[in-house]
Amino acid sequence: QVQLVESGGGSVQAGGSLRLSCAASGGTVSRRYCMAWFRQAPGKEREGVAAIGRDGDTEYTTSVKGRFTISQGNAKSTLYLQMNSLKSEDTATYYCAADFPLRRCDLSLISRDYRYWGQGTQVTVSS
């Protein structure tokens, strides 16, 4: 069973930056997992934000391209989301997601492709 714990959320003014972290544990050490960030604003559906692939390649939703960067720690057990030039429309609860095998979910930004989810961290951007 994979456990995911997000941190790093908070309140920031528009134009500011935040770095989210997701600590993963409980998985199989030798297994490669799909990893991604999602967000959900009040009254809206959960949206895929960024995913990182098996070779370090990345996928972003259009609205965050050029502003957000997804990355992993060397041990692949920590996922990051660097968010720059934040806008009020980025306000949401951000979730870390994981699943396997890679061939099924690699670089996916579709929430139903992921079985493991963190509890979320709130990001509030004020204009």
Side-chain angles (χ1 to χ4, degrees), residues 69-92:
T69 303
I70 187 172
S71 62
Q72 282 181 300
N74 291 336
K76 309 294 185 186
S77 60
T78 306
L79 185 70
Y80 302 101
L81 185 67
Q82 178 67 43
M83 305 186 296
N84 299 328
S85 301
L86 282 161
K87 304 175 181 180
S88 57
E89 51 263 45
D90 296 318
T91 295

PDB file of all heavy atoms in Angstrom, residues 69-92:
ATOM      1  N   THR A  69       6.858  23.461 -12.459  1.00  0.00           N
ATOM      2  CA  THR A  69       7.828  22.429 -12.806  1.00  0.00           C
ATOM      3  C   THR A  69       7.679  21.252 -11.865  1.00  0.00           C
ATOM      4  O   THR A  69       7.766  21.423 -10.643  1.00  0.00           O
ATOM      5  CB  THR A  69       9.263  22.963 -12.727  1.00  0.00           C
ATOM      6  OG1 THR A  69       9.409  24.099 -13.577  1.00  0.00           O
ATOM      7  CG2 THR A  69      10.257  21.884 -13.150  1.00  0.00           C
ATOM      8  N   ILE A  70       7.471  20.065 -12.427  1.00  0.00           N
ATOM      9  CA  ILE A  70       7.399  18.848 -11.635  1.00  0.00           C
ATOM     10  C   ILE A  70       8.756  18.168 -11.652  1.00  0.00           C
ATOM     11  O   ILE A  70       9.454  18.168 -12.669  1.00  0.00           O
ATOM     12  CB  ILE A  70       6.290  17.907 -12.173  1.00  0.00           C
ATOM     13  CG1 ILE A  70       6.084  16.711 -11.246  1.00  0.00           C
ATOM     14  CG2 ILE A  70       6.601  17.455 -13.600  1.00  0.00           C
ATOM     15  CD1 ILE A  70       4.882  15.853 -11.619  1.00  0.00           C
ATOM     16  N   SER A  71       9.144  17.586 -10.511  1.00  0.00           N
ATOM     17  CA  SER A  71      10.421  16.887 -10.437  1.00  0.00           C
ATOM     18  C   SER A  71      10.360  15.842  -9.340  1.00  0.00           C
ATOM     19  O   SER A  71       9.434  15.825  -8.526  1.00  0.00           O
ATOM     20  CB  SER A  71      11.571  17.874 -10.181  1.00  0.00           C
ATOM     21  OG  SER A  71      11.390  18.518  -8.931  1.00  0.00           O
ATOM     22  N   GLN A  72      11.369  14.961  -9.347  1.00  0.00           N
ATOM     23  CA  GLN A  72      11.470  13.933  -8.320  1.00  0.00           C
ATOM     24  C   GLN A  72      12.817  14.021  -7.636  1.00  0.00           C
ATOM     25  O   GLN A  72      13.810  14.428  -8.235  1.00  0.00           O
ATOM     26  CB  GLN A  72      11.321  12.539  -8.934  1.00  0.00           C
ATOM     27  CG  GLN A  72       9.893  12.149  -9.253  1.00  0.00           C
ATOM     28  CD  GLN A  72       9.804  10.751  -9.836  1.00  0.00           C
ATOM     29  OE1 GLN A  72      10.380  10.477 -10.875  1.00  0.00           O
ATOM     30  NE2 GLN A  72       9.069   9.876  -9.166  1.00  0.00           N
ATOM     31  N   GLY A  73      12.842  13.576  -6.381  1.00  0.00           N
ATOM     32  CA  GLY A  73      14.108  13.446  -5.698  1.00  0.00           C
ATOM     33  C   GLY A  73      14.899  12.288  -6.269  1.00  0.00           C
ATOM     34  O   GLY A  73      14.371  11.460  -7.011  1.00  0.00           O
ATOM     35  N   ASN A  74      16.174  12.196  -5.908  1.00  0.00           N
ATOM     36  CA  ASN A  74      17.043  11.153  -6.453  1.00  0.00           C
ATOM     37  C   ASN A  74      16.531   9.747  -6.162  1.00  0.00           C
ATOM     38  O   ASN A  74      16.685   8.835  -6.966  1.00  0.00           O
ATOM     39  CB  ASN A  74      18.458  11.314  -5.899  1.00  0.00           C
ATOM     40  CG  ASN A  74      19.137  12.553  -6.447  1.00  0.00           C
ATOM     41  OD1 ASN A  74      18.779  13.032  -7.524  1.00  0.00           O
ATOM     42  ND2 ASN A  74      20.100  13.074  -5.715  1.00  0.00           N
ATOM     43  N   ALA A  75      15.931   9.542  -5.023  1.00  0.00           N
ATOM     44  CA  ALA A  75      15.435   8.225  -4.633  1.00  0.00           C
ATOM     45  C   ALA A  75      14.042   7.949  -5.172  1.00  0.00           C
ATOM     46  O   ALA A  75      13.480   6.884  -4.911  1.00  0.00           O
ATOM     47  CB  ALA A  75      15.426   8.106  -3.112  1.00  0.00           C
ATOM     48  N   LYS A  76      13.482   8.870  -5.933  1.00  0.00           N
ATOM     49  CA  LYS A  76      12.153   8.726  -6.530  1.00  0.00           C
ATOM     50  C   LYS A  76      11.042   8.632  -5.496  1.00  0.00           C
ATOM     51  O   LYS A  76       9.903   8.369  -5.852  1.00  0.00           O
ATOM     52  CB  LYS A  76      12.080   7.489  -7.444  1.00  0.00           C
ATOM     53  CG  LYS A  76      13.178   7.398  -8.477  1.00  0.00           C
ATOM     54  CD  LYS A  76      13.099   8.498  -9.503  1.00  0.00           C
ATOM     55  CE  LYS A  76      14.149   8.306 -10.589  1.00  0.00           C
ATOM     56  NZ  LYS A  76      14.180   9.454 -11.537  1.00  0.00           N
ATOM     57  N   SER A  77      11.365   8.826  -4.215  1.00  0.00           N
ATOM     58  CA  SER A  77      10.337   8.709  -3.192  1.00  0.00           C
ATOM     59  C   SER A  77       9.734  10.056  -2.809  1.00  0.00           C
ATOM     60  O   SER A  77       8.854  10.125  -1.957  1.00  0.00           O
ATOM     61  CB  SER A  77      10.910   8.031  -1.938  1.00  0.00           C
ATOM     62  OG  SER A  77      11.987   8.798  -1.429  1.00  0.00           O
ATOM     63  N   THR A  78      10.238  11.113  -3.407  1.00  0.00           N
ATOM     64  CA  THR A  78       9.692  12.446  -3.154  1.00  0.00           C
ATOM     65  C   THR A  78       9.372  13.106  -4.483  1.00  0.00           C
ATOM     66  O   THR A  78      10.176  13.087  -5.406  1.00  0.00           O
ATOM     67  CB  THR A  78      10.679  13.324  -2.375  1.00  0.00           C
ATOM     68  OG1 THR A  78      11.068  12.643  -1.177  1.00  0.00           O
ATOM     69  CG2 THR A  78      10.025  14.643  -1.998  1.00  0.00           C
ATOM     70  N   LEU A  79       8.201  13.679  -4.540  1.00  0.00           N
ATOM     71  CA  LEU A  79       7.745  14.391  -5.738  1.00  0.00           C
ATOM     72  C   LEU A  79       7.602  15.854  -5.388  1.00  0.00           C
ATOM     73  O   LEU A  79       7.144  16.182  -4.285  1.00  0.00           O
ATOM     74  CB  LEU A  79       6.399  13.817  -6.193  1.00  0.00           C
ATOM     75  CG  LEU A  79       5.818  14.342  -7.500  1.00  0.00           C
ATOM     76  CD1 LEU A  79       6.657  13.846  -8.685  1.00  0.00           C
ATOM     77  CD2 LEU A  79       4.370  13.888  -7.664  1.00  0.00           C
ATOM     78  N   TYR A  80       7.998  16.721  -6.321  1.00  0.00           N
ATOM     79  CA  TYR A  80       7.933  18.155  -6.082  1.00  0.00           C
ATOM     80  C   TYR A  80       7.105  18.839  -7.161  1.00  0.00           C
ATOM     81  O   TYR A  80       6.999  18.353  -8.283  1.00  0.00           O
ATOM     82  CB  TYR A  80       9.331  18.776  -6.077  1.00  0.00           C
ATOM     83  CG  TYR A  80      10.264  18.190  -5.058  1.00  0.00           C
ATOM     84  CD1 TYR A  80      11.235  17.249  -5.413  1.00  0.00           C
ATOM     85  CD2 TYR A  80      10.194  18.579  -3.722  1.00  0.00           C
ATOM     86  CE1 TYR A  80      12.100  16.717  -4.478  1.00  0.00           C
ATOM     87  CE2 TYR A  80      11.061  18.048  -2.779  1.00  0.00           C
ATOM     88  CZ  TYR A  80      12.004  17.117  -3.161  1.00  0.00           C
ATOM     89  OH  TYR A  80      12.850  16.587  -2.230  1.00  0.00           O
ATOM     90  N   LEU A  81       6.560  19.985  -6.793  1.00  0.00           N
ATOM     91  CA  LEU A  81       5.924  20.853  -7.772  1.00  0.00           C
ATOM     92  C   LEU A  81       6.331  22.285  -7.438  1.00  0.00           C
ATOM     93  O   LEU A  81       5.893  22.848  -6.436  1.00  0.00           O
ATOM     94  CB  LEU A  81       4.406  20.720  -7.750  1.00  0.00           C
ATOM     95  CG  LEU A  81       3.683  21.523  -8.838  1.00  0.00           C
ATOM     96  CD1 LEU A  81       4.001  20.940 -10.231  1.00  0.00           C
ATOM     97  CD2 LEU A  81       2.173  21.517  -8.612  1.00  0.00           C
ATOM     98  N   GLN A  82       7.220  22.826  -8.258  1.00  0.00           N
ATOM     99  CA  GLN A  82       7.623  24.219  -8.105  1.00  0.00           C
ATOM    100  C   GLN A  82       6.628  25.075  -8.873  1.00  0.00           C
ATOM    101  O   GLN A  82       6.459  24.893 -10.083  1.00  0.00           O
ATOM    102  CB  GLN A  82       9.037  24.421  -8.649  1.00  0.00           C
ATOM    103  CG  GLN A  82       9.515  25.859  -8.580  1.00  0.00           C
ATOM    104  CD  GLN A  82       9.699  26.359  -7.169  1.00  0.00           C
ATOM    105  OE1 GLN A  82      10.228  25.658  -6.316  1.00  0.00           O
ATOM    106  NE2 GLN A  82       9.246  27.582  -6.904  1.00  0.00           N
ATOM    107  N   MET A  83       6.006  25.999  -8.164  1.00  0.00           N
ATOM    108  CA  MET A  83       4.974  26.840  -8.780  1.00  0.00           C
ATOM    109  C   MET A  83       5.419  28.297  -8.727  1.00  0.00           C
ATOM    110  O   MET A  83       5.588  28.865  -7.637  1.00  0.00           O
ATOM    111  CB  MET A  83       3.646  26.667  -8.038  1.00  0.00           C
ATOM    112  CG  MET A  83       3.182  25.212  -7.958  1.00  0.00           C
ATOM    113  SD  MET A  83       1.547  25.028  -7.227  1.00  0.00           S
ATOM    114  CE  MET A  83       1.847  25.622  -5.563  1.00  0.00           C
ATOM    115  N   ASN A  84       5.631  28.874  -9.883  1.00  0.00           N
ATOM    116  CA  ASN A  84       6.045  30.275  -9.997  1.00  0.00           C
ATOM    117  C   ASN A  84       4.963  31.090 -10.681  1.00  0.00           C
ATOM    118  O   ASN A  84       4.063  30.535 -11.318  1.00  0.00           O
ATOM    119  CB  ASN A  84       7.353  30.374 -10.792  1.00  0.00           C
ATOM    120  CG  ASN A  84       8.500  29.642 -10.127  1.00  0.00           C
ATOM    121  OD1 ASN A  84       8.571  29.547  -8.904  1.00  0.00           O
ATOM    122  ND2 ASN A  84       9.407  29.114 -10.937  1.00  0.00           N
ATOM    123  N   SER A  85       5.071  32.393 -10.550  1.00  0.00           N
ATOM    124  CA  SER A  85       4.112  33.314 -11.188  1.00  0.00           C
ATOM    125  C   SER A  85       2.676  32.891 -10.913  1.00  0.00           C
ATOM    126  O   SER A  85       1.845  32.806 -11.816  1.00  0.00           O
ATOM    127  CB  SER A  85       4.372  33.358 -12.692  1.00  0.00           C
ATOM    128  OG  SER A  85       5.687  33.780 -12.968  1.00  0.00           O
ATOM    129  N   LEU A  86       2.403  32.631  -9.654  1.00  0.00           N
ATOM    130  CA  LEU A  86       1.089  32.122  -9.284  1.00  0.00           C
ATOM    131  C   LEU A  86      -0.001  33.139  -9.563  1.00  0.00           C
ATOM    132  O   LEU A  86       0.194  34.365  -9.430  1.00  0.00           O
ATOM    133  CB  LEU A  86       1.072  31.721  -7.815  1.00  0.00           C
ATOM    134  CG  LEU A  86       1.753  30.368  -7.529  1.00  0.00           C
ATOM    135  CD1 LEU A  86       2.124  30.244  -6.060  1.00  0.00           C
ATOM    136  CD2 LEU A  86       0.855  29.227  -7.958  1.00  0.00           C
ATOM    137  N   LYS A  87      -1.162  32.609  -9.942  1.00  0.00           N
ATOM    138  CA  LYS A  87      -2.328  33.421 -10.255  1.00  0.00           C
ATOM    139  C   LYS A  87      -3.479  33.022  -9.330  1.00  0.00           C
ATOM    140  O   LYS A  87      -3.480  31.920  -8.769  1.00  0.00           O
ATOM    141  CB  LYS A  87      -2.749  33.192 -11.709  1.00  0.00           C
ATOM    142  CG  LYS A  87      -1.659  33.439 -12.728  1.00  0.00           C
ATOM    143  CD  LYS A  87      -2.132  33.081 -14.123  1.00  0.00           C
ATOM    144  CE  LYS A  87      -1.050  33.308 -15.163  1.00  0.00           C
ATOM    145  NZ  LYS A  87      -1.512  32.965 -16.539  1.00  0.00           N
ATOM    146  N   SER A  88      -4.461  33.894  -9.209  1.00  0.00           N
ATOM    147  CA  SER A  88      -5.592  33.596  -8.339  1.00  0.00           C
ATOM    148  C   SER A  88      -6.313  32.327  -8.776  1.00  0.00           C
ATOM    149  O   SER A  88      -6.826  31.577  -7.938  1.00  0.00           O
ATOM    150  CB  SER A  88      -6.570  34.774  -8.312  1.00  0.00           C
ATOM    151  OG  SER A  88      -7.010  35.094  -9.620  1.00  0.00           O
ATOM    152  N   GLU A  89      -6.296  32.056 -10.075  1.00  0.00           N
ATOM    153  CA  GLU A  89      -6.963  30.850 -10.573  1.00  0.00           C
ATOM    154  C   GLU A  89      -6.215  29.570 -10.248  1.00  0.00           C
ATOM    155  O   GLU A  89      -6.704  28.474 -10.509  1.00  0.00           O
ATOM    156  CB  GLU A  89      -7.208  30.939 -12.083  1.00  0.00           C
ATOM    157  CG  GLU A  89      -5.992  31.317 -12.899  1.00  0.00           C
ATOM    158  CD  GLU A  89      -5.955  32.804 -13.228  1.00  0.00           C
ATOM    159  OE1 GLU A  89      -6.220  33.630 -12.317  1.00  0.00           O
ATOM    160  OE2 GLU A  89      -5.648  33.125 -14.393  1.00  0.00           O
ATOM    161  N   ASP A  90      -5.024  29.688  -9.670  1.00  0.00           N
ATOM    162  CA  ASP A  90      -4.292  28.511  -9.201  1.00  0.00           C
ATOM    163  C   ASP A  90      -4.747  28.081  -7.812  1.00  0.00           C
ATOM    164  O   ASP A  90      -4.321  27.027  -7.309  1.00  0.00           O
ATOM    165  CB  ASP A  90      -2.787  28.779  -9.171  1.00  0.00           C
ATOM    166  CG  ASP A  90      -2.211  29.036 -10.543  1.00  0.00           C
ATOM    167  OD1 ASP A  90      -2.593  28.318 -11.491  1.00  0.00           O
ATOM    168  OD2 ASP A  90      -1.364  29.946 -10.672  1.00  0.00           O
ATOM    169  N   THR A  91      -5.594  28.873  -7.182  1.00  0.00           N
ATOM    170  CA  THR A  91      -6.103  28.537  -5.855  1.00  0.00           C
ATOM    171  C   THR A  91      -6.874  27.231  -5.900  1.00  0.00           C
ATOM    172  O   THR A  91      -7.813  27.079  -6.686  1.00  0.00           O
ATOM    173  CB  THR A  91      -7.009  29.663  -5.330  1.00  0.00           C
ATOM    174  OG1 THR A  91      -6.230  30.840  -5.135  1.00  0.00           O
ATOM    175  CG2 THR A  91      -7.662  29.260  -4.016  1.00  0.00           C
ATOM    176  N   ALA A  92      -6.461  26.270  -5.071  1.00  0.00           N
ATOM    177  CA  ALA A  92      -7.076  24.946  -5.065  1.00  0.00           C
ATOM    178  C   ALA A  92      -6.406  24.103  -3.983  1.00  0.00           C
ATOM    179  O   ALA A  92      -5.389  24.497  -3.413  1.00  0.00           O
ATOM    180  CB  ALA A  92      -6.903  24.263  -6.416  1.00  0.00           C
TER     181      ALA A  92
END
